Amino acid sequence: MIVLVTRPEPDGEMTARSLRDRGHDVLLSPMLRFEPVAFQIEADARYGAVVVTSANALRAVADHPALDRLVALPLLGVGARTAEVARGMGFRTVMSADGDAAALRDRVLACIRDKSFKTLTRSSAILYLAGADIAHDLATELGGRGLNVATVTSYRMVPQIHLPAAVCDGFAAQRIDAVLHYSRRSARAFLDAARAGGVEISALAIPQCCLSDSIAAILRDAGATQVTVSRTPDENALFEVLERAVQASR
């Protein structure tokens, strides 16, 4: 079975390795490209925690002069992969929401109620390292609960306008069995690139496995009929959906 992975690098290659370990052949077509954005962190700001909804935010801050200061703060991340990257960068206190941005919001609020971290209180500022395009307005939601959130745009994800030639050829020859989708923006970029490459019909004729309902809606609106959603927003659950979807399509 050949699976197309649309996830940006370097996470796309990690996904590919996991799929190969499961016996699948993989084609990579990252539909978004990571670009760091220059930013400043106020030297006199008293932050109580760092919040990130993507490991890309951490990659963007990896060489920042303020990193030594930030790693001393508790970090709350959206999932296990983000938490893993944070620990690898030296963050000493890391907590994962094991879900999506809404789960992260709830985890932040729970940590304040439970007084899990001494520095994280309703009066302390939360540093939110965000992307240029925000799918879930975490800062506004936390601000609506009375929290002080300082949002810093640290990176952008640039849509790719073309599919690799090997991917277009694979769709045209009906050799690709399924596509994995990890975000709404990458799903939109995939559709635009498939249309530009003249393979939209064949690309949408196979199982589209999505990490969330909101991603799935984009594929369904485009005409895909074999769209499935993982029961939880994590990769293991997505792989389970992939196996079931491909079996059902045979």
Side-chain angles (χ1 to χ4, degrees), residues 216-241:
I218 292 173
L219 279 305
R220 292 191 182 104
D221 289 346
T225 57
Q226 299 182 67
V227 182
T228 53
V229 181
S230 61
R231 56 183 176 78
T232 54
D234 63 85
E235 192 163 72
N236 286 333
L238 187 61
F239 287 169
E240 292 174 4
V241 164

Side-chain angles (χ1 to χ4, degrees), residues 28-112:
L28 286 169
S29 182
M31 297 315 307
L32 300 174
R33 186 184 74 251
F34 168 79
E35 284 187 359
V37 173
F39 64 94
Q40 292 184 337
I41 295 176
E42 296 181 18
D44 57 350
R46 298 178 63 85
Y47 298 118
V50 179
V51 172
V52 292
T53 54
S54 169
N56 288 314
L58 296 171
R59 297 183 181 109
V61 80
D63 297 320
H64 199 279
L67 180 61
D68 288 344
R69 174 185 168 200
L70 297 182
V71 296
L73 297 170
L75 180 136
L76 293 92
V78 70
R81 175 58 184 156
T82 303
E84 179 185 354
V85 172
R87 294 187 184 99
M89 290 174 56
F91 281 88
R92 295 186 285 275
T93 305
V94 178
M95 182 176 289
S96 168
D98 296 326
D100 54 12
L104 179 57
R105 174 204 62 208
D106 294 341
R107 179 57 62 91
V108 172
L109 295 171
C111 286
I112 291 175

Side-chain angles (χ1 to χ4, degrees), residues 42 45 47 125-130 139 147-152:
E42 296 181 18
Y47 298 118
I126 296 172
L127 178 61
Y128 173 30
L129 298 176
L147 304 184
N148 179 15
V149 181
T151 302
V152 172

